[in-house]
Structure formats: structure tokens, C-alpha cells
Amino acid sequence: MNPVRSFTFIPVVVLVALSAWSAAPAQEARLDPGMVNPGWVEPPPWFHESFLDIREDVQEATDAGRRLMLYFYQDGCPYCEKLVRDNFGQRDIADLTRRHFNVIAINMWGDREVTDMAGHDTTEKDFARDLNVQFTPTLLMFNEEFQVVGRINGYFEPHRFRAALSWIGERREDDISFQAYFEQLSPEPATGVLHARDGWLQPPHDLAAALKEDDRPLLVLFEQTQCSACDELHLDILARPDSEALLARFQVAQIDVAGRDRVITPEGEQTSAAAWARDSGVLYTPTLAFHTAEDGEVIRAEGYLRTFHVQSLMEYVLTGAYRDEPELQRYLDRRAQSLYEQGIEVDLMD
């Protein structure tokens, strides 16, 4: 549902495992086929064992009246640990997942053999790359035609994760948007406002013109009023001096995922805010989508993120590093290591 790379910066405490998005190169070098690395978080025992022939796995799930869910992880990933312990560790979430899905764990940097949806033989890490898995955890849900009908990039808090499981598991994706479904089930305690700033692009948005007229990259913030994570992003993460300095180097457009304002997208298509969010596969607010005039949408960040990832993502785009290093995990590893060598502590959950 999300065709673009999706990723995530704080003044930083280097944890040995640098993040849900870093530590990949060192881990890959130590990985043996079918093995795991230090930092491994044991998945629930009800996860399915598989020979990793995805076609057979989809068929097995379909025969059981369920859908296939692929859980991409990496060792030493704090957000993977939160998913396993804080989400799957809740009985009702575990029961809901088991009712609707067969879940298979795949190591983003692993060397086990995989047969993909087209019948091609590959490895876990190449399979993850082919599916544009850029961070962990990433969850992909497949229908019986081997199509990805649900994609969760990053960590969802338990209440939002529960709603996403129901929405995809009950096959509601063609009936109602996730945001509308989520609001019906679990309205969030939040400020109830969009935190707009002076100097940001104002609706109605002509984002194609903005990219032509201003050489700064474009940051699109997909948000909604009842969104505690949006409040946290604006009132904490983006309010930090380092974040504000980076943010000033972007054009910023704030898109209300339930809004009716007219939007001309960066690709020049005329639509509304709500329709663009829906057609872009936005499941989580806030979603941060980064565009440049030269490369279009180059990266997207979804899921619950803290400062290190948000700031790193802005640096990744501003420096053009995405052109030379298409795998964000590797970029984050090098950046965190560089900060560590400068004596800057990186706390990935700060």
C-alpha cells in the first residue's frame, strides 16, 4: 500500500543495538544462514513455522480463512521488542491476530532461502529489499491473490495496532478508510488541533508548483486533529532546537487526512486532502512524506517514532544521502556511530 521507502533524528544514548533502523551492517556481517544475532527477541510461540515458500504460505492461510502476515524484524530493534512484548504480549491482541492471520517472522538481514510470490528463489534480505522493507518492524498482509492489502511500516501503539488488525483481518480495506474505522473504534485523547506554523504552505495546496518555485525539499505531514502522536511530534520532537533548524530547510505542507481542502499533488494530480491520504495508503498519523523536485517522493516515515529517527530522516533527505545509500538502515548505523564518536549519546526512545 505504500510504494515508497519509509523511514526516520534526536540528539542521541548509543544503545548497542542502534535502533529499529540502524545496526544492520555489523549484524549482517555476523549472520549465518538461518541463524540470529545478539539482541534477538523471541517471537510468540504461536507464530507459524515455514519453509518460506510464500505462495504456499498464502494458500495455507487462505485455506484456514485467514490472511498471511509477514513480520520483518532485525535483532537489537527496540521497536520490534515493543511490538512483541507490548502488543503481541496482550492476550486480546494475540487472540485477534491468531484469528485473522498466519504470522511468519523474516529477518531483514537473513540468509535463509525464500521463494517469493512469483516463484523466484531469493534470500530473506533480498526479499525484504524487493518489498521495499526499509525499517523494522514492518508487517505485510497478503490476500489470496498474493497482493499486499495491508502494510504497517514501523511500530503502532497497541490501541491503533488492534484497530489495524481488525480492519485488515475483517477485510474492510475496500469499505472504509482506516482513519474512519479507527475513529469509530477508539477515538484518541488528544488536543484536537492541527499544529500549523507560520511559514508553512497554506491550503489549498499546489505542491507541484511549490516544488518548481522553491528548491527546498518538500515535507508533507499527513495528520489529523485527534492524534496524540501528532501532538507529541509537534509539541516535543519538532520543538527541539536541532529539529527546528532542520525543519526550516524544508517546505512543509500539513495535510488533514479527513480534510476537504483542494490539493494538487507533487505529481500534478488534482484531488482533496482526504482522497490523497487514502490513495497514498496512509494508515498512521503522523506520516512524514519527503519529496524533491528531482526524485519525487523519496522516503516516507510511518509508525511511532522518536527524535533520533525524525531528525535522521530529515538529514537523510537534506544531504541527498538517499541517492548514494538507498538503504536507510545503513545510513542510520553510520550516523549513530559518527555521533557516538563525537561523544554524543543516542537514546533511540528519547
Side-chain angles (χ1 to χ4, degrees), residues 38-270:
W40 160 252
V41 177
E42 187 72 29
W46 45 265
F47 272 30
H48 280 247
E49 295 293 333
S50 170
F51 293 109
L52 298 184
D53 185 326
I54 305 303
R55 299 167 303 173
E56 292 182 357
D57 293 326
V58 167
Q59 189 60 54
E60 181 181 348
T62 299
D63 292 345
R66 294 189 284 269
R67 285 177 157 175
L68 176 67
M69 176 190 293
L70 298 182
Y71 160 55
F72 290 88
Y73 70 92
Q74 61 179 318
D75 303 323
C77 161
Y79 292 107
C80 298
E81 182 175 359
K82 283 181 68 65
L83 177 67
V84 170
R85 295 183 178 170
D86 296 353
N87 292 23
F88 289 133
Q90 297 189 36
R91 180 177 295 276
D92 69 309
I93 291 180
D95 289 345
L96 182 62
T97 307
R98 297 176 72 180
R99 180 159 68 249
H100 291 305
F101 301 96
N102 287 358
V103 186
I104 295 172
I106 295 182
N107 189 327
M108 180 182 178
W109 303 105
D111 290 316
R112 289 187 298 169
E113 293 185 0
V114 176
T115 302
D116 67 15
M117 293 79 70
H120 300 143
D121 292 332
T122 183
T123 62
E124 289 175 288
K125 60 188 175 188
D126 289 335
F127 183 52
R129 185 179 301 115
D130 291 342
L131 289 172
N132 206 21
V133 174
Q134 289 284 352
F135 52 87
T136 54
T138 290
L139 300 171
L140 301 183
M141 295 77 154
F142 294 81
N143 65 12
E144 62 276 6
E145 297 174 353
F146 313 119
Q147 298 170 327
V148 176
V149 292
R151 183 178 187 119
I152 298 177
N153 294 315
Y155 176 72
F156 278 24
E157 305 97 312
H159 67 293
R160 190 180 292 265
F161 185 67
R162 190 180 291 109
L165 291 174
S166 297
W167 182 68
I168 298 169
E170 294 172 2
R171 294 162 168 77
R172 300 295 305 278
E173 65 272 6
D174 293 328
D175 303 331
I176 184 174
S177 72
F178 175 69
Q179 296 299 339
Y181 181 80
F182 175 65
E183 289 175 9
Q184 289 178 3
L185 287 185
S186 178
E188 288 191 282
T191 61
V193 300
L194 294 176
H195 301 278
R197 295 192 183 195
D198 293 339
W200 288 2
L201 300 173
Q202 297 299 308
H205 291 102
D206 186 342
L207 302 182
L211 282 170
K212 290 179 181 179
E213 296 167 1
D214 192 322
D215 60 3
R216 291 178 298 169
L218 170 66
L219 167 58
V220 177
L221 300 173
F222 289 97
E223 301 185 324
Q224 59 183 326
T225 55
Q226 291 302 126
C227 171
S228 58
C230 300
D231 292 340
E232 184 177 315
L233 175 68
H234 290 277
L235 301 178
D236 179 9
I237 296 170
L238 294 182
R240 303 187 184 200
D242 288 349
S243 298
E244 290 192 332
L246 292 167
L247 193 63
R249 299 168 63 187
F250 288 91
Q251 303 181 76
V252 181
Q254 191 174 48
I255 302 296
D256 184 348
V257 297
R260 298 182 180 181
D261 291 326
R262 182 176 62 86
V263 175
I264 299 178
T265 71
E267 294 74 31
E269 299 177 359
Q270 297 192 34

